[in-house]
Every structure is written in structure tokens, then in C-alpha cells.
């Protein structure tokens, strides 16, 4: 018994194997593999048209894959119709039933499943309490605000106790304040229901604040999968480094274990010879006025401050090196006495591990 | 000063021209006199009584209902399905397809009538009669049904269909519990419009009915022979039916679900 449970935990709850989707000659999704563990909160992040919504629709069963198979809890659901899958979805436009009240919307799935009136009543009340909409049970859908409709859509899916809750850009239609509040709510509900959530978004801030597992997609391919902080610190591709946060791209050449960046610095780095690309997060760059330099040469670059933007919670500085290379530096806490201003000559450098090599674009 | 008076005068004259005859018809239908002329006699339901006792009228009324009901049913089913399907495609082909379906409205009814007679009598070798009239009426009422339903579908959120499936409903359950309740009013309105149009229609009916009469051909026959005030009673009945049906239909279709 306990062994079976342990085996069940080792198995991912959702497994996609070589799943692809073509529409005629156009490929929406190249063959991908993806595993989602039970209890995780997975964000599928990518620009519009990257195939992330297609991926979600494949999991929900609204689209059949051209190749590959989809398994949920060890069961092959590739050819299963959406109504038979243990998944429920929160749709981007919510898709609430306009001719029903809030309670009727939330109870719809159980009504279809022919549950008893009392059970439906109980679970509707319980789920509405979970999304904090108890008072609105009898209201017609049209009388609700966008944020409230969002919660109804969430409750309507959650009441089915899905093995996997799918959310398609769930917060896209809400304004900033409401979006932040709903992010907190989603995290709380994820914890309280002990559920497995997979959501699609194009907003990296949303992905980072919600997810514990990040899938970055581009042009129908998965670029990187990992914990959000790992993806941020160690992007695998140029696309990921640029899509997820601000970045500096440094190109160079490697010859027998020594890299020489076009912008100047040389350092030891193992790998095959040839052209290389490194990325450098702006907040990992150190900066100081050039006259403070010790006489010995440093690993960094010297240049002139081109622009200095104060951002309220920090500053964004653009440094131009003599050869025209530009570097963006972010300082979390600019001190105005430290002599940084446009036109000033500065030296910038970074810790050895701040540079991350990425695959060719 | 005079310019300000011109438009109200024109409008009054137009209204009088349009509504005057209608009012006269209704008024004379309650007149006890033998002739349709002034001065009027007393108020009476004499012509209504006479109508109800008239076998020919009863047969015509029965024919009209036996045509209008199936017409409304068939054209509602086909027109609504067509409009729904075209809307579901959600492509640029939807609107052209709907326009093609609406072509019979642009054709002169006379052409449709002749075409049907040729089709039934010459090609299919079928007798003219109610089925032929129903065919013609479906052809001309279906576009109206499709237009009414298409207008409703324009604001239909198709996401609800996927939501219902996602929550465990089959295709059929989705249609019954989600789609139908939202477009029911438009469909009933469309059916009433089709019914009213069929009841009124004359040209196709007179060509394809073969023997017998519908209400409209019955009135036409009566006008040719006698100027019996009972035609005012028929006209009033038909007026009341079509106006009330259309009013109900308008109310229903204005419903935004």
C-alpha cells in the first residue's frame, strides 16, 4: 500500500510525450515533452502565438494532438473528449452561462453529474466560500464585476475537484490592483485545495509571482523548464534571457578555453571553440566612477554613462564603451553622492558566475 | 413659419393615406349595413357571424393554418440551424453563406411561384396543393428566420459551449441546457414571424394551392365576385393576427440574453 502511494508520487500527474499539433501546413506546436507533478503550480509563459494556449487546449481535450500522447494520473487521455477528462478549465473570457445565477453556474457541473440537490447545495456554498462570493450566490451573472466573474469561473471549475485545474490567461482581463489581489487569492486557493494548477500567461511578472514551475515557450517549442528563479538566473537560450527580465547580451569567441568578449574582457571558460553568447542580468553588474579604479586592470569594461533613469525603487543606467558596446546596469539603491551622472566615465564589472552562456539564437 | 408646418402636414397626409384604408376596413367590419359605404348603420358582429358559418371560409382558414404551421416549423428548424452553423464557423464564409440563403427574398414571388408550379407539375409530376405552398413559403420565410437567429448569434459567446463540455456536459446536454435557453426567445420570435408571413402570403399561394383557398386567396376570390362586407371581417381578423404575432415576435427578439 505505502509502496503504491510512493510509486504514485514518483509518477508525474500529467505527462505529455512527443505531443505536437499541426493545422494544415502550419505547426502550432512542435513535438514536446512535459511532466507536471502533483501539487505544483505550473506557469506556461510565452509571447502570443507561441503555442501555449494550444498546449492548454490539448490538455483539456478541446484539441486533438497530431502526434504524441497525453497521460493524466497514469491513464492515457489522448483521445478522450473534454467532458470525460479529470481536468477543468478557467477560460480566458470566463465563458460563464449568462442565463444562470452565480450558484447555478457554479453548480452546473454537479447538476450534469446528477448529484443530489443537497450535495450540490452544500458544495456550491463551500466553493463560493472558498472564492469569497457567498453573498452573491443568487445574483445574475450580468450583475457582477469582472473580478467577481473571474471568481465565479474559478469556483465553477474548482467545485469539480479536478485533478488538474487549467487556467487560460486567468487575470488578463483585470486591472492591475485586481490582478495583484487575485494573484494572492490564487496562491491561497492553490494551497487550501492542495490542487495541481497549470496556467498560461504572457505576463512574466504573473508567472514569477504564482508559479513554482515555469515552462517558457516560443514559436511552438519549449525553451526551458525549471524553477522560476533558476530560469531567471540561468536562462538556457537567448530568447528566455530576453523574454524573462531585462538582459545584456555579450558576444565573443572562445579559443582553447579562453573567451574573449567583443566588448573587451577575457576570462577562462571551458567549452568548444567558436562564437559564444553570454547573458548578464543588469542587477548583477557592478559600477563605479573610473577615477576610483585601482591601477591594475579589471575584468570589466570602462565606458561613459549615456543615460541614467531613476525608477523610484532603483536606477537604470546605460553605459557605452568606446567601441560602441552598450551595457545596461540596474542599481537597486542609488546613492546620489557616489558621483554617477550622465557623461561620467565609469568602470563596470561583475562576479564570475554572473555570466551565463546561452545557446545560439 | 410655413416651413415648420410643411413637414407635419406631409407626415399627417402620409399617415392618413397609409392608415386610412386600414381603419375603414376595421370600422366597416363592425357595420351592420349591406353595402360598404357611408352612412354607416349600427354596430354589429353580423359579418363575423356570417363568416364563421361559411364553409368556404372555414376551409380557407384551415388551409391557411395547415400551411402556416408547418411552414413556421420547417423554416424555423432549417433557418435557425443554418444561422447557428454559419455563426459557429466563425469565419469569413459565414456572412456570404447567410446571404446566399437569403436570395429567395430578392426574387419576385411570382418567379418563385412559377418555378414551383413547373417543378411540381412538369418535373416531379406531383399534384399542386398544400405541400407545394409550404415549399414556397419555407423558401421565402426561412431567410427571415435565419436573419433573426443570426442577429442573436452575433452576440453569442461560444466559450460557454466549451465551458459546458469541460464541466461534463455532452454535446446534446450542452445544446439543451446552455445554447437553447440563450437563443430560445430569438427562435420563438423567428417562428412567429415566419407564421405571420405565411398567413399573409398571396402570390405563391394562389399559384401553387391548386384547388381550394387560403385566407388570402379566399378574400381575393370574394373581392372579384361580390363586395360583401364580410371581407372586411376577414381582413380585420388577419390584421389582428399578424400585428399581434409581429408585436410578440419583436418583443421576444429584442431580448438580450
Amino acid at each position: 500500500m505505502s509502496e503504491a502511494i510512493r510509486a504514485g508520487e514518483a509518477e508525474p500527474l500529467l505527462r505529455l510525450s512527443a505531443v505536437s499539433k499541426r493545422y494544415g501546413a502550419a505547426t502550432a506546436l512542435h513535438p514536446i515533452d512535459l511532466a507536471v507533478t502533483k501539487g505544483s503550480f505550473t506557469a506556461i509563459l510565452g509571447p502570443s502565438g507561441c503555442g501555449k494556449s494550444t498546449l492548454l487546449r490539448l490538455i483539456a481535450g478541446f484539441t486533438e494532438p497530431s502526434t504524441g500522447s497525453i497521460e493524466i494520473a497514469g491513464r492515457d487521455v489522448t483521445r478522450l473528449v473534454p467532458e470525460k477528462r479529470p481536468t477543468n478549465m478557467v477560460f480566458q473570457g470566463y465563458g460563464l452561462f449568462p442565463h444562470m445565477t452565480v450558484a447555478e453556474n457554479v453548480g452546473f457541473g454537479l447538476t450534469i453529474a446528477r448529484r443530489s440537490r443537497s450535495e450540490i447545495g452544500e458544495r456550491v456554498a463551500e466553493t463560493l466560500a472558498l472564492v469569497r462570493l457567498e453573498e452573491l450566490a443568487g445574483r445574475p451573472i450580468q450583475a457582477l464585476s469582472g473580478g467577481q466573474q473571474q471568481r465565479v469561473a474559478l469556483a465553477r471549475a474548482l467545485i469539480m475537484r479536478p485533478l488538474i485545474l487549467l487556467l487560460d490567461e486567468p487575470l488578463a482581463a483585470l486591472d492591475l490592483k485586481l490582478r495583484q489581489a487575485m494573484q494572492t487569492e490564487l496562491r491561497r486557493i492553490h494551497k487550501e485545495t492542495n490542487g495541481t494548477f497549470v496556467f498560461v500567461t504572457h505576463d512574466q511578472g504573473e508567472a514569477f509571482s504564482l508559479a513554482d514551475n515555469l515552462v517558457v515557450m516560443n514559436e511552438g517549442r519549449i525553451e526551458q523548464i525549471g524553477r522560476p528563479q533558476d530560469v531567471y538566473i540561468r536562462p538556457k537560450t537567448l530568447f528566455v534571457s530576453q523574454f524573462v527580465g531585462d538582459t545584456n547580451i555579450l558576444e565573443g569567441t572562445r579559443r582553447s578555453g579562453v573567451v574573449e568578449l567583443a566588448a573587451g574582457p577575457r576570462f577562462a571558460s571551458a567549452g568548444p571553440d567558436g562564437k559564444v553568447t553570454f547573458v548578464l542580468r543588469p542587477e548583477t553588474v557592478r559600477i563605479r566612477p573610473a577615477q576610483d579604479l585601482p591601477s591594475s586592470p579589471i575584468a570589466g569594461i570602462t565606458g561613459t554613462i549615456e543615460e541614467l533613469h531613476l525608477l523610484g525603487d532603483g536606477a537604470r543606467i546605460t553605459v557605452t564603451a568606446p567601441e560602441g558596446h552598450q551595457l545596461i546596469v540596474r542599481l537597486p539603491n542609488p546613492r546620489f553622492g557616489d558621483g554617477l551622472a550622465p557623461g561620467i566615465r565609469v568602470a563596470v564589472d561583475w562576479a564570475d558566475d554572473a555570466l551565463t552562456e546561452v545557446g545560439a539564437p | 413659419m410655413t416651413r415648420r408646418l410643411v413637414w407635419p402636414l406631409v407626415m399627417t397626409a402620409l399617415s392618413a393615406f397609409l392608415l386610412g384604408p386600414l381603419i375603414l376596413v376595421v370600422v366597416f367590419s363592425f357595420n351592420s349595413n349591406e353595402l360598404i359605404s357611408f352612412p354607416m348603420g349600427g354596430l354589429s358582429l353580423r359579418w363575423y357571424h356570417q363568416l364563421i358559418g361559411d364553409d368556404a371560409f372555414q376551409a380557407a382558414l384551415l388551409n391557411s393554418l395547415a400551411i402556416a404551421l408547418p411552414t413556421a416549423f420547417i423554416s424555423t428548424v432549417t433557418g435557425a440551424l443554418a444561422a447557428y452553423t454559419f455563426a459557429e464557423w466563425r469565419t469569413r464564409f459565414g456572412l456570404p453563406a447567410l446571404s446566399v440563403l437569403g436570395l429567395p427574398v430578392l426574387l419576385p414571388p411570382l418567379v418563385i411561384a412559377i418555378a414551383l408550379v413547373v417543378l411540381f407539375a412538369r418535373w416531379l409530376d406531383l399534384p399542386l396543393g398544400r405541400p407545394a405552398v409550404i415549399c414556397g413559403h419555407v423558401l421565402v420565410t426561412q431567410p427571415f428566420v435565419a436573419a433573426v437567429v443570426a442577429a442573436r448569434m452575433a452576440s453569442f459567446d461560444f466559450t460557454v459551449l466549451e465551458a459546458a463540455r469541460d464541466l461534463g456536459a455532452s454535446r446534446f446536454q450542452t445544446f439543451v441546457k446552455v445554447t437553447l435557453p440563450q437563443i430560445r426567445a430569438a427562435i420563438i420570435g423567428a417562428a412567429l414571424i415566419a407564421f405571420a408571413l405565411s398567413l399573409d402570403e398571396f402570390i405563391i399561394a394562389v399559384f401553387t394551392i391548386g384547388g381550394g383557398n387560403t385566407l388570402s386567396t379566399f378574400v381575393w376570390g370574394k373581392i372579384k365576385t361580390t363586395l360583401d362586407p364580410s371581407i372586411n371581417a376577414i381582413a380585420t381578423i388577419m390584421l389582428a393576427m399578424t400585428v399581434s404575432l409581429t408585436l410578440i415576435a419583436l418583443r421576444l427578439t429584442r431580448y438580450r440574453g
Side-chain angles (χ1 to χ4, degrees):
Chain A
M1 184 68 189
S2 65
E3 257 184 30
I5 289 173
R6 220 173 297 133
E9 277 170 359
E11 272 295 288
L13 184 62
L14 167 71
R15 187 205 296 275
L16 277 70
S17 315
V19 169
S20 74
K21 182 67 190 174
R22 281 186 306 275
Y23 293 102
T27 303
L29 208 60
H30 294 281
I32 61 159
D33 295 301
L34 180 66
V36 170
T37 52
K38 189 172 179 337
S40 70
F41 202 141
T42 300
I44 302 173
L45 175 67
S48 54
C50 72
K52 58 188 193 296
S53 286
T54 304
L55 184 58
L56 205 68
R57 294 176 61 81
L58 284 165
I59 300 169
F62 295 119
T63 310
E64 243 187 57
S66 306
T67 65
S69 69
I70 302 169
E71 255 176 55
I72 298 174
R75 182 164 155 241
D76 188 336
V77 298
T78 315
R79 306 276 168 235
L80 212 57
V81 289
E83 58 261 39
K84 298 256 165 69
R85 294 199 187 193
T87 57
N88 286 104
M89 182 131 145
V90 175
F91 292 85
Q92 190 174 3
Y94 312 144
L96 297 176
F97 308 126
H99 57 297
M100 298 181 191
T101 64
V102 169
E104 284 166 347
N105 262 279
V106 175
F108 182 84
L110 295 180
T111 311
I112 290 291
R114 296 180 184 284
R115 297 304 174 85
S116 72
R117 205 174 267 270
S118 61
E119 188 194 343
I120 295 174
E122 257 168 50
R123 275 172 69 177
V124 166
E126 182 185 298
T127 314
L128 283 178
L130 181 70
V131 298
R132 299 186 174 150
L133 279 182
E134 305 96 309
E135 281 92 48
L136 303 181
R139 293 271 185 94
I141 290 300
Q142 288 93 333
L144 303 187
S145 69
Q148 289 166 337
Q149 294 193 4
Q150 226 287 312
R151 286 157 193 259
V152 176
L154 197 57
R156 189 178 64 174
L158 283 171
I159 199 172
M160 304 308 289
R161 296 175 182 158
L163 287 182
I164 303 168
L165 181 72
L166 307 168
L167 304 107
D168 190 2
E169 300 268 4
L171 310 177
L174 306 179
D175 61 49
L176 184 65
K177 268 264 153 49
L178 213 48
R179 202 152 57 215
Q180 288 167 343
M182 274 312 290
Q183 285 179 8
T184 313
E185 287 287 275
L186 275 176
R187 266 197 304 269
R188 174 181 65 82
I189 290 167
H190 177 249
K191 209 181 261 174
E192 278 181 30
T193 57
N194 215 358
T196 308
F197 289 11
V198 175
F199 82 108
V200 150
T201 182
H202 64 271
D203 179 342
Q204 53 137 328
E206 202 170 292
F208 275 85
S209 82
L210 288 174
D212 52 29
N213 183 30
L214 187 61
V215 179
V216 185
M217 289 188 67
N218 186 36
E219 293 179 347
R221 287 190 174 88
I222 291 181
E223 296 267 332
Q224 189 167 0
I225 304 176
R227 293 190 308 156
Q229 59 268 42
D230 294 344
V231 173
Y232 183 82
I233 296 168
R234 295 272 169 250
K236 272 192 190 154
T237 67
L238 201 56
F239 172 81
V240 174
S241 76
Q242 285 174 305
F243 192 72
V244 178
D246 235 355
T247 199
N248 290 299
I249 297 158
L250 300 167
E251 281 168 346
T253 325
R254 179 187 285 124
R255 259 185 224 97
S256 44
V258 174
V259 167
E260 178 163 8
L261 295 178
R266 293 164 61 105
F267 55 93
S269 160
D273 286 3
K275 283 203 175 299
V276 288
T277 306
F278 284 86
V279 295
L280 179 64
R281 293 294 182 193
E283 66 275 14
T284 62
V285 182
R286 299 186 294 238
I287 183 167
R288 58 207 147 135
Q291 65 264 32
D292 298 352
L293 274 184
S295 49
S296 61
I298 61 154
I301 300 168
T302 53
T304 312
I305 293 184
E306 180 99 10
E307 279 179 318
L308 195 154
H309 288 293
L310 291 176
L311 303 169
D313 60 343
R316 189 173 189 270
I317 302 167
T318 312
V319 175
T320 308
E323 300 83 9
H325 296 287
Q326 283 202 331
L327 212 62
I328 296 160
V329 184
R330 261 198 80 131
L331 288 184
N333 185 17
R335 281 158 296 146
F336 296 98
D338 60 9
L340 295 178
I344 297 280
R345 274 188 61 75
V346 288
V348 292
D349 69 345
W350 47 83
D352 289 343
D353 63 355
L355 281 177
T356 304
E357 187 173 352
V358 295
Chain B
M1 196 61 193
T2 42
R3 292 190 77 175
R4 221 191 281 170
L5 277 174
V6 171
W7 271 114
L9 275 176
V10 170
M11 294 308 283
T12 316
L14 262 177
S15 308
F17 180 71
L18 286 172
L19 294 177
L22 284 180
I23 294 165
L24 282 183
V25 164
V26 176
V27 168
F28 276 117
S29 78
F30 295 104
N31 181 11
S32 62
N33 276 5
E34 203 68 52
L35 290 169
I36 307 178
S37 69
F38 291 107
M40 292 196 19
L43 197 66
S44 112
L45 290 177
R46 175 183 168 190
W47 305 113
Y48 290 91
H49 280 294
Q50 186 185 315
L51 263 187
I52 289 161
D54 182 353
D55 289 342
F57 169 76
Q58 283 177 7
L61 179 65
L62 191 72
N63 258 340
S64 272
L65 293 179
I67 289 163
L69 283 172
T71 297
F73 180 77
I74 296 169
S75 66
T76 300
V77 170
T78 57
L81 280 178
Y84 182 83
T85 310
F86 296 153
E88 203 180 21
W89 286 356
R90 277 177 283 186
T91 65
R92 59 208 159 90
F93 301 113
L95 198 62
L98 205 62
S99 311
V100 170
L101 201 71
L103 275 181
V105 177
L106 300 179
L107 294 176
L110 191 62
V111 174
I112 295 176
I114 293 169
L116 275 170
V117 171
V118 171
L119 177 73
F120 270 75
R122 290 287 154 81
W123 287 8
L124 300 178
D125 207 15
L126 290 171
L128 292 172
R130 283 180 197 165
V133 185
I134 292 171
C135 282
H137 283 185
V138 166
L139 211 57
V140 293
T141 56
Q142 179 183 265
F144 289 95
V145 173
V148 168
V149 176
R152 174 63 190 90
M153 294 314 294
S155 62
F156 188 83
D157 174 13
F158 281 91
T159 312
V160 299
L161 304 185
E162 291 192 337
R165 296 292 299 283
D166 189 59
L167 293 164
S170 64
R171 270 173 198 280
F172 181 71
Q173 283 172 318
T174 301
F175 182 76
V176 172
K177 291 190 187 280
V178 176
T179 311
L180 203 55
Q182 290 189 64
I183 63 171
R184 185 187 288 139
I187 288 180
I188 295 173
L192 293 177
I193 290 172
F195 186 81
L197 286 173
S198 167
L199 213 57
D200 273 350
E201 204 284 331
F202 172 72
I203 297 176
I204 293 173
V206 81
F207 271 79
T208 54
I209 188 74
N213 272 317
T214 65
L215 279 182
S216 50
T217 64
F218 177 69
V219 174
W220 182 63
K222 248 180 147 44
I223 272 185
K224 286 210 308 193
T225 51
T226 55
L227 260 184
D228 176 344
S230 64
I231 58 171
N232 291 322
I234 303 177
T236 305
I237 291 171
M238 289 182 68
L239 190 67
M241 280 168 83
T242 41
V243 167
S244 52
L245 283 176
T246 312
L247 283 180
I248 297 170
L250 279 178
R251 263 202 92 86
L252 284 175
T253 49
R254 210 176 294 143
Y255 168 82
R256 289 276 167 268

